[in-house]
């Protein structure tokens, strides 16, 4: 029943080396992403490859995920209570991810010029 292949047809599978240091983002982002991957592995474990968690070269805070947040509350959380004197830097260190262009188009005017 189980025929073996001739030696010239046998494929040697190479050893896999995982690259687990991520130099492009920080540990806060990687921790949030790892949480999502953990859920995928839990619910769909047979459909994805399990790999070691990545480690960042830099420390950093986990991202804040807002859902169903009032516009004014979101503005204060993101920009601070006083936009002109806020200590919160909005730019290369922060990002808003919008699900659709229509969602982005609905953002209040105080986000104009920063997106």
């Amino acid at each position: 029943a189980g025929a073996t292949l001739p030696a010239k047809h046998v494929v040697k599978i190479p050893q896999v080396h995982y690259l687990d240091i991520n130099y492009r983002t920080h540990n806060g982002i990687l921790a949030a992403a790892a949480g999502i991957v953990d859920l995928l592995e839990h619910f769909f474990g047979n459909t994805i490859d399990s790999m070691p968690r990545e480690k960042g070269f830099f420390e950093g805070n986990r991202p804040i995920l807002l859902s169903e947040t009032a516009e004014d509350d979101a503005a204060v959380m993101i920009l601070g209570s006083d936009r002109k004197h806020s200590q919160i830097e909005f730019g290369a260190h922060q990002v808003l991810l919008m699900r659709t262009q229509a969602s982005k188009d609905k953002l209040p005017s105080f986000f104009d010029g920063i997106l």
Side-chain angles (χ1 to χ4, degrees):
T4 59
L5 293 173
K8 67 180 182 178
H9 294 292
V10 174
V11 176
K12 182 180 178 192
I13 299 174
Q15 182 179 0
V16 175
H17 296 279
Y18 295 103
L19 303 176
D20 61 355
I21 303 286
N22 186 321
Y23 294 95
R24 295 182 60 162
T25 192
H26 62 73
N27 281 324
I29 299 293
L30 293 172
I36 294 168
V37 172
D38 289 344
L39 290 171
L40 290 171
E41 286 179 338
H42 176 76
F43 291 108
F44 306 101
N46 294 331
T47 60
I48 65 171
D49 294 332
S50 183
M51 296 173 53
R53 284 190 171 197
E54 288 184 311
K55 296 179 264 321
F57 194 67
F58 307 99
E59 293 301 320
N61 296 329
R62 287 184 181 213
I64 299 171
L65 304 176
L66 305 177
S67 174
E68 306 287 328
T69 303
E71 292 174 1
D72 291 338
D73 294 339
V76 169
M77 291 175 72
I78 295 168
L79 301 172
S81 59
D82 181 358
R83 184 175 175 183
K84 290 182 181 177
H85 300 97
S86 175
Q87 298 298 310
I88 300 173
E89 181 181 350
F90 195 87
H93 301 287
Q94 292 182 325
V95 63
L96 290 179
L97 297 177
M98 306 302 295
R99 186 174 293 208
T100 64
Q101 182 64 39
S103 298
K104 181 181 175 188
D105 294 341
K106 291 180 185 177
L107 286 171
S109 61
F110 51 73
F111 288 106
D112 291 349
I114 61 173
L115 298 178

